[in-house]
Amino acid sequence: MEAVLDSEYLLSVMKKFINTPSPVSYYEEVNPLLEKMAGELGYEVSFDRKRTGYIKVPGRNQEKTICVGAHLDTLGLMVRKIDSNGMIRVRNLGGINFNNLEGETVTVHTRDGRNYTGIVMCQSHSVHVFDDARTLTRDEQSMVVLLDEEVHSDEEVKELGIQHGDIISIEPHFTVTEKGYIKSRFIDDKACVACAFAVLKYIKEQNLVPSCNVWFAFPHYEEIGHGGSYVPEEISEYIALDIAVIGGDHAGSEKRVSICVKDNFSPYDRELTDRLVKCAKEAGINYVEDIFYRYSTDANAAVRAGNNLQAAAFGMGTFSSHGMERTHIQAVLDTAKLLTAFIL
């Protein structure tokens, strides 16, 4: 039986999570949303000491427990210095490409809960003024945040409560077109979070029981490589839901699911990957098998950390990863359908 998932619900969940800031290490807003969304479906969320949230679904085989991980953290920035003129210098949280960030609206989140908007600019910000406006490399040394406040010195910025180490989130601009294309920052990995919730909703409404215990995990710190490094002892398989990259030697597209066979660290477990491929074929999923360069997931972070488990990964093809990303609702729905087929 083909899983008929609620696409409107999936998109609404994706939008809510994407519009809730959660740069690496900033979980204060998104973890409460996780609890709220789970509670609306009748599930409870527990957290480990790394702030990873878990929704635990009992299965028919109580002797086996698997983990399905979709990370909540996104790319972002951190205040590293406040210049004497009031402009903020930043550090990268994750794999930011400053070339596609210039001119973007951002929000500075202070430790005492205040928020201030601003804009990311190159220090040589205008061709009318600077000879190197077109040629200066966009990186941490040349990019600044200009606050939308009347501040002209470092002391005036500090009086707002902004300090070194404050988190800076980036405006996502979530959009869905009439043709089903989804455009936004942070499709990585909140599209996969939405897939997990669409599956949770489906199995709850249909009174379905997974073949074994399934722990849906929502880690932080994936974007810097250690999100899935801790895994509870009872878990024997870790399946990472994460975006699939497009371009170069890759075989995927925005309308297909990619099953990752190898990333920049290691091949994934062959037998577990074989099961995913079999499920994709039987469920009629439009999929490809692929290997990814400059890419890793929480599943292989778990392997790298020495956990005794099998790892696998799959997700929707996504154009322009770590920038203004684009995918298609068909690949997102097929990702959720593959997950449904696998856990059942």
Side-chain angles (χ1 to χ4, degrees):
M1 181 181 71
E2 180 182 356
V4 180
L5 300 167
D6 188 338
S7 61
E8 290 188 9
Y9 173 79
L10 191 157
L11 286 171
S12 71
V13 171
M14 192 189 313
K15 182 177 181 179
K16 287 177 183 177
F17 275 102
I18 283 177
N19 286 336
T20 302
S22 58
V24 175
S25 81
Y26 184 72
Y27 46 76
E28 289 94 323
E29 295 187 47
V30 77
N31 275 359
L33 176 63
L34 180 69
E35 292 182 284
K36 177 178 180 294
M37 299 298 293
E40 290 175 355
L41 294 178
Y43 295 101
E44 293 184 358
V45 181
S46 59
F47 293 93
D48 63 24
R49 295 186 183 93
K50 287 191 70 177
R51 314 293 180 171
T52 297
Y54 298 93
I55 298 174
K56 301 175 181 180
V57 182
R60 297 190 299 274
N61 178 6
Q62 294 284 303
E63 302 300 314
K64 179 178 179 179
T65 301
I66 68 171
C67 178
V68 173
H71 67 89
L72 282 172
D73 62 309
T74 68
L75 306 181
L77 302 167
M78 181 177 279
V79 176
R80 71 172 169 90
K81 179 187 177 184
I82 305 171
D83 285 350
S84 59
N85 62 4
M87 291 188 179
I88 294 173
R89 302 280 175 170
V90 299
R91 280 280 183 251
N92 187 344
L93 290 176
I96 288 284
N97 178 358
F98 283 101
N99 292 292
N100 62 43
L101 198 59
E102 188 170 3
E104 186 59 89
T105 294
V106 297
T107 301
V108 180
H109 306 272
T110 69
R111 286 196 178 273
D112 61 5
R114 286 180 276 182
N115 297 317
Y116 299 99
T117 62
I119 186 170
V120 179
M121 300 296 291
C122 180
Q123 63 188 27
S124 296
H125 51 79
S126 172
V127 296
H128 294 115
V129 181
F130 300 96
D131 292 337
D132 62 350
R134 290 189 175 93
T135 59
L136 184 63
T137 300
R138 271 58 174 170
D139 59 19
E140 289 184 352
Q141 305 311 312
S142 64
M143 302 299 283
V144 296
V145 169
L146 178 64
L147 292 171
D148 301 327
E149 302 287 334
E150 196 66 31
V151 289
H152 305 284
S153 70
D154 56 343
E155 288 304 319
E156 287 176 331
V157 173
K158 290 175 182 177
E159 286 172 4
L160 298 176
I162 295 173
Q163 300 290 337
H164 290 199
D166 283 344
I167 297 293
I168 303 174
S169 63
I170 304 163
E171 181 68 29
H173 305 291
F174 179 85
T175 304
V176 182
T177 74
E178 292 182 359
K179 301 293 186 180
Y181 286 98
I182 304 166
K183 300 184 291 185
S184 183
R185 296 188 189 275
F186 317 133
I187 289 173
D188 177 11
D189 192 33
K190 290 178 176 179
C192 289
V193 173
C195 287
F197 269 83
V199 173
L200 286 163
K201 179 176 185 287
Y202 175 74
I203 63 175
K204 174 75 73 170
E205 291 177 345
Q206 299 298 318
N207 294 314
L208 298 171
V209 180
S211 61
C212 63
N213 301 327
V214 181
W215 290 17
F216 291 82
F218 304 93
H220 297 271
Y221 306 100
E222 190 276 346
E223 294 292 359
I224 58 172
H226 68 85
S229 57
Y230 167 75
V231 181
E233 177 69 25
E234 52 265 68
I235 291 171
S236 60
E237 298 172 1
Y238 196 123
I239 297 89
L241 298 185
D242 213 332
I243 64 162
V245 294
I246 295 172
D249 296 334
H250 305 314
S253 75
E254 293 164 287
K255 292 188 175 181
R256 305 175 86 176
V257 176
S258 294
I259 298 173
C260 185
V261 177
K262 179 190 180 300
D263 64 18
N264 67 1
F265 168 66
S266 170
Y268 287 85
D269 184 79
R270 285 181 61 82
E271 186 273 331
L272 180 54
T273 301
D274 284 347
R275 276 188 274 144
L276 281 173
V277 170
K278 181 180 179 182
C279 283
K281 289 178 178 178
E282 292 177 350
I285 302 296
N286 184 8
Y287 81 98
V288 296
E289 299 162 51
D290 215 344
I291 62 173
F292 296 144
Y293 174 61
R294 291 180 177 167
Y295 172 102
S296 191
T297 71
D298 278 329
N300 260 347
V303 172
R304 188 186 290 111
N307 292 284
N308 183 24
L309 49 74
Q310 298 167 274
F314 68 92
M316 65 290 298
T318 304
F319 188 81
S320 184
S321 57
H322 282 195
M324 177 56 71
E325 299 167 335
R326 195 181 80 162
T327 189
H328 193 274
I329 185 60
Q330 188 58 58
V332 177
L333 280 171
D334 277 352
T335 298
K337 289 178 181 179
L338 178 52
L339 175 60
T340 305
F342 182 80
I343 67 171
L344 293 179

